Every structure is written in C-alpha cells, then in structure tokens.
Amino acid sequence: LLCYEVCDGNTHSHDNLPFVLAGRGGGKIRTGRLLQYGNRRHSDLLVSIAQAMGQSINQFGQGSSGPLPGLLH
C-alpha cells in the first residue's frame, strides 16, 4: 500500500486522495484495475486489506463504513 496523508499540503484536503495497492493479497485481490470509491475513508481500504489477510473485522477507526465493494474476490 502506497499513499499520502493528504492530497493537498496547503489545505490538508483528503479529497481525491490516490492510493496504490500492489500485489494480489494471496489471490484475493484482482490486479490491473483502477477503482474509484468517491468519498470513502481510507480506513475502509484498511478493512478490506485486513479481510484479505484473514481478519474478520468490519470497521477500523472512527467513520469506517466497512470493506470496499468489489476490491476482494
């Protein structure tokens, strides 16, 4: 996972924050795609990654709404 904390250092905005997720997660993540999730929090990506690693969590931190749909097989 490669990401930044903010997308604009001057305003500390989190809008349109890019992430790069490399690897197949043991075959649970299909690669070669560009996915856009609107205003979902990055904690939802962390939930998805944890689920790919076998953890049965549905939220991470405050404001998490669950795993990202369509990321995992």
Side-chain angles (χ1 to χ4, degrees):
L1 172 63
L2 174 67
C3 62
Y4 296 97
E5 293 180 21
V6 295
C7 69
D8 180 8
N10 290 331
T11 63
H12 293 257
S13 171
H14 295 100
D15 297 336
N16 297 319
L17 189 61
F19 290 86
V20 175
L21 186 59
R24 295 183 348 204
K28 297 189 180 194
I29 300 172
R30 192 174 68 232
T31 60
R33 302 179 291 164
L34 172 63
L35 304 173
Q36 296 183 12
Y37 287 101
N39 292 323
R40 297 285 296 261
R41 295 180 175 264
H42 72 271
S43 57
D44 294 341
L45 174 59
L46 298 177
V47 169
S48 299
I49 292 170
Q51 287 184 357
M53 296 171 61
Q55 298 299 309
S56 59
I57 66 170
N58 289 314
Q59 64 179 18
F60 180 85
Q62 291 183 321
S64 177
S65 58
L68 297 173
L71 181 64
L72 303 180
H73 282 274

